[in-house]
Amino acid sequence: MIGARAALALFLAFIAAAPLLLAQHPFYITLMNYIALATLVSLGLVLLTGVVGLMSFGQQAFTGLAAYTTAVLTTLYGASPWIALLAALAVTALAGLILGLISLRLSGHYLALATIAWGISLFYVFGNLTILGQFTGIGNIPAVVAFGLTFDTAAKSYYLNWIFTIAALLAARNLLDSRSGRAIRALRFRSVMAESVGVDTGALKFLVFFYAALLAGLSGWLYAHYLGFVSPQAFDVNAGIDYLFMAVIGGASHVWGAVVGAALLTVLNEWLKDLLPRLFQQTGNYEIVAFGLLMMLLLHRAPEGLMPVFARLLRARTRGSRPPVLPALARRARPHPGELLLEVRSAGKRFGGLVAVRDLSFEMNSGEILGLIGPNGAGKSTMFNLITGVLRSDGGEILFRGERIDRLRPRQIARRGIGRTFQLVNLISTMSVLENVALGAHLRGRQGTLAAMLRRERKEEAQLLSEAAREIDRVGLGEHLYEAAGSLALGQQRIVEIARALCADPVLLLLDEPAAGLRYAEKQALAQLLRQLRAEGMSILLVEHDMEFVMGLVDRLVVMDFGEKLAQGLPREIQADPAVLEAYLGGIE
Ligand code: ADP
Ligand code: MG
């Protein structure tokens, strides 16, 4: 049983010592070089496919672009490899920019198809352009020179390749463990939630795509100077598929899985290429068949890839120490109590033939708890989605503090101080309670992905985590800080969502059935918390089924039925309203 730090130290020690240990076996050093180069590309895919869920079969095209750029510049124009590195990355970045802008609009399978298409087209571009040496490629690419060293042998290039690769691995690890990283990890399954806490999900997806392209480009540059030779075959579609396999086999969402997958596939590839033809007494690409079979077996036995299996063996400790208590973050200006806060004017939403919300109007003042009640399917959650911008109202207007918000995006609405929870719990179940709640503080931090990679945002990060811990204590889940959110009882998960919403320092809180699944004592604690929030000036719009809970808590009620407003008023008025009793309570008290 060793910790993650010790595992990392062991890995680094092994990488540093390998050339000495393997001095008698140059072939293995070559192999390790290939592993480093492949790790860089598959690391990009770990982020893009494993974490964000976007599948690319075209990373080899970026590798090729960079490799050819540096090959042309250094052989034809006599540029130094370092100048060529900048150019290669610039070309890759430009291609990533253009391809990202075009193809990230496509979703699901179409993105994968688009990446295959550009991979194939670039392969033929490389193969047919005379200046690129057509299918024979470009040779005599000079070795990289730095600090008076010429990296012209496998053993020397080894350190160059691995230094870049390890730097990229550490940067990616740092990135995922940061404010931006939390948002990135939300993109795959929780992008509606991510937008609701202010994350620009489109921009972030693009950024990850862009990084993945740059990593592939870096690999291409190293590759060209390491081999001294580039040809189109190294960048065909098969290579793209291999990279994807590596990321998936290694453990799609684990940074270190990139190394595991790259190592496994590279070694296996060599070994099978050697073994199988001897076995079958004739040459052929048997390794591809064997690969396919192995892959199926592996994905069947370890669908999350190999890294989680290793991580379990290592028992990497995930429990951190409690974040230090830091002074609270600055809070936004609150509206005056009683000020008109939210105005819904003739909002409507139609799903095909079904009218979920029809011509609904109501107002809310600052500092009140307004209950929005009605039978199942009355349109309450749809109304929440209209206010928070998840859905666009078919007509009418919604104003928040006098400003129209019905045409804004969810993240813009979040920025204005509206926080929410979801009826269907919307947490990242594998992430700790602390991190889930810290996601709520997204808009209270400013440090971006680059700062995160370089660990230049630790001070801000500590403040965000401290804020998150404070909100978790406040909702009474302080002892669950480091538990995976998915391991809590469903009722507690709803409370985690409230803490996440509070972490954004909202002015208006929208809670969709927060008490569902809570036990009696927990409901009482929740009611107490909501009262306290109101006393501090928070406004709360509450959808809830438990009538005892609602009636004892809210200042006013709006009753919905079949998408329309049936009644509104004080709790005792609503309780006595015959129409409400008829429709909502079915005539029974
Ligand atoms: P409530 O929260 O009051 O139980 P909802 O707002 O969830 O009700 O749903 C109102 C109606 O709209 C229901 O009939 C529901 O099936 C329908 N509905 C909600 N969301 C969608 C959607 N995205 N597409 C189609 N129908 C929907
Ligand atoms: Mg609902």
Side-chain angles (χ1 to χ4, degrees):
M1 209 208 289
I2 59 170
R5 262 167 200 275
L8 175 60
L10 269 178
F11 171 70
L12 294 182
F14 170 72
I15 293 296
L20 307 175
L21 301 174
L22 299 173
Q24 305 305 317
H25 307 277
F27 172 70
Y28 287 111
I29 299 197
T30 304
L31 215 54
M32 298 253 322
N33 277 318
Y34 282 123
I35 292 172
L37 298 177
T39 298
L40 275 176
V41 187
S42 76
L43 175 62
L45 284 174
V46 161
L47 297 175
L48 185 67
T49 307
V51 179
V52 179
L54 298 172
M55 204 168 278
S56 165
F57 288 95
Q59 297 308 102
Q60 81 290 354
F62 295 120
T63 312
L65 268 179
Y68 271 101
T69 304
T70 197
V72 168
L73 289 179
T74 52
T75 59
L76 295 185
Y77 298 96
S80 102
W82 292 107
I83 299 291
L85 171 62
L86 297 181
L89 290 182
V91 169
T92 318
L94 190 67
L97 203 74
I98 295 169
L99 289 171
L101 286 179
I102 298 172
S103 47
L104 281 184
R105 291 174 191 280
L106 308 171
S107 58
H109 310 308
Y110 296 107
L111 174 67
L113 287 177
T115 61
I116 293 176
W118 94 56
I120 293 178
S121 18
L122 267 172
F123 173 74
Y124 285 107
V125 169
F126 297 148
N128 287 311
L129 283 185
T130 339
I131 187 178
L132 300 183
Q134 292 171 318
F135 281 97
T136 22
I138 301 175
N140 295 324
I141 303 171
V144 176
V145 180
F147 312 113
L149 280 174
T150 307
F151 297 91
D152 55 357
T153 65
K156 287 185 199 161
S157 302
Y158 175 93
Y159 285 107
L160 186 69
N161 292 335
W162 276 103
I163 282 172
F164 275 107
T165 302
I166 285 172
L169 285 164
L170 293 177
R173 180 204 64 174
N174 293 347
L175 173 62
L176 288 182
D177 177 31
S178 73
R179 162 180 179 264
S180 308
R182 281 188 290 275
I184 289 173
R185 283 182 283 160
L187 292 177
R188 184 170 197 173
F189 299 113
R190 301 280 175 235
S191 60
V192 171
M193 178 273 285
E195 285 271 335
S196 84
V197 295
V199 176
D200 186 341
T201 54
L204 207 52
K205 274 182 191 171
F206 177 78
L207 206 61
V208 174
F209 181 85
F210 190 68
Y211 281 145
L214 284 182
L215 285 172
L218 180 60
S219 174
W221 176 78
L222 287 167
Y223 173 90
H225 294 287
Y226 168 54
L227 277 192
F229 170 76
V230 292
S231 70
Q233 289 77 17
F235 313 111
D236 64 6
V237 176
N238 277 343
I241 294 174
D242 278 352
Y243 290 132
L244 196 59
F245 275 178
M246 288 173 191
V248 172
I249 284 188
S253 57
H254 284 252
V255 162
W256 302 101
V259 188
V260 174
L264 191 75
L265 252 81
T266 308
V267 171
L268 221 57
N269 212 345
E270 283 307 317
W271 185 60
L272 291 175
K273 251 187 209 158
D274 213 36
L275 178 78
L276 293 179
R278 263 191 276 162
L279 218 59
F280 293 111
Q281 302 289 330
Q282 59 185 24
T283 55
N285 291 340
Y286 299 115
E287 72 274 6
I288 293 175
V289 180
F291 250 24
L293 293 175
L294 268 175
M295 183 83 52
M296 287 203 282
L297 186 73
L298 205 82
L299 291 181
H300 186 67
R301 306 295 305 177
E304 299 289 308
L306 288 175
M307 196 55 207
V309 180
F310 287 155
R312 269 197 294 279
L313 288 178
L314 291 173
R315 298 255 165 110
R317 286 188 317 128
T318 48
R319 177 175 278 269
S321 53
R322 211 187 148 77
V325 179
L326 299 174
L329 293 170
R331 303 185 65 188
R332 74 177 87 231
R334 319 252 119 200
H336 298 292
E339 192 181 302
L340 183 58
L341 189 70
L342 180 74
E343 299 163 73
V344 177
R345 299 182 189 153
S346 309
K349 189 70 203 173
R350 176 186 285 276
F351 296 112
L354 182 122
V355 183
V357 172
R358 188 198 303 270
D359 195 21
L360 193 75
S361 303
F362 66 90
E363 290 175 356
M364 233 187 121
N365 295 323
S366 172
E368 75 172 336
I369 302 184
L370 179 67
L372 183 63
I373 64 171
N376 257 331
K380 307 179 295 291
S381 296
T382 304
M383 193 59 237
F384 266 33
N385 286 335
L386 293 178
I387 296 171
T388 53
V390 175
L391 296 172
R392 189 164 274 205
S393 179
D394 290 336
E397 294 178 348
I398 300 173
L399 286 86
F400 180 64
R401 302 181 81 172
E403 179 195 9
R404 266 189 82 164
I405 56 167
D406 49 283
R407 289 294 174 264
L408 297 184
R409 298 188 157 274
R411 62 171 185 278
Q412 297 170 313
I413 294 172
R415 194 176 276 284
R416 283 160 175 73
I418 299 185
R420 72 170 295 182
T421 66
F422 294 85
Q423 183 174 358
L424 292 173
V425 171
N426 216 334
L427 296 171
I428 303 177
S429 57
T430 52
M431 228 155 80
S432 70
V433 169
L434 180 67
E435 285 197 287
N436 268 289
V437 173
L439 197 51
H442 188 81
L443 287 176
R444 302 175 86 180
R446 351 202 79 56
Q447 301 284 350
T449 50
L450 206 58
M453 287 185 192
L454 300 172
R455 287 264 134 132
R456 300 303 301 277
E457 37 60 275
R458 288 290 100 179
K459 204 169 134 218
E460 179 187 280
E461 173 73 357
Q463 279 182 319
L464 298 182
L465 291 179
S466 164
E467 190 73 25
R470 192 171 7 248
E471 296 302 347
I472 295 169
D473 283 340
R474 172 148 138 167
V475 301
L477 292 175
E479 70 214 58
H480 301 288
L481 227 48
Y482 289 100
E483 284 166 41
S487 70
L488 300 189
L490 202 60
Q492 289 177 319
Q493 295 188 26
R494 292 185 186 285
I495 305 297
V496 173
E497 288 218 326
I498 296 179
R500 182 181 64 209
L502 288 176
C503 216
D505 183 31
V507 171
L508 169 63
L509 202 53
L510 272 56
L511 305 179
D512 202 343
E513 306 201 11
L518 291 187
R519 285 178 291 223
Y520 183 72
E522 292 170 327
K523 281 188 189 180
Q524 301 242 298
L526 175 62
Q528 191 47 43
L529 171 72
L530 298 185
R531 281 195 193 97
Q532 193 200 327
L533 286 171
R534 172 174 56 189
E536 292 168 16
M538 182 78 75
S539 316
I540 302 171
L541 182 58
L542 177 73
V543 166
E544 187 47 60
H545 274 295
D546 183 331
M547 278 307 124
E548 197 190 328
F549 181 85
V550 170
M551 293 302 175
L553 184 63
V554 301
D555 299 302
R556 284 190 309 128
L557 284 158
V558 170
V559 187
M560 286 180 75
D561 195 16
F562 293 111
E564 293 183 82
K565 185 162 80 178
L566 191 64
Q568 76 176 17
L570 301 174
R572 61 184 153 74
E573 294 167 357
I574 296 296
Q575 274 166 315
D577 190 315
V580 175
L581 289 177
E582 179 56 37
Y584 183 49
L585 303 171
I588 312 159
E589 174 60 338

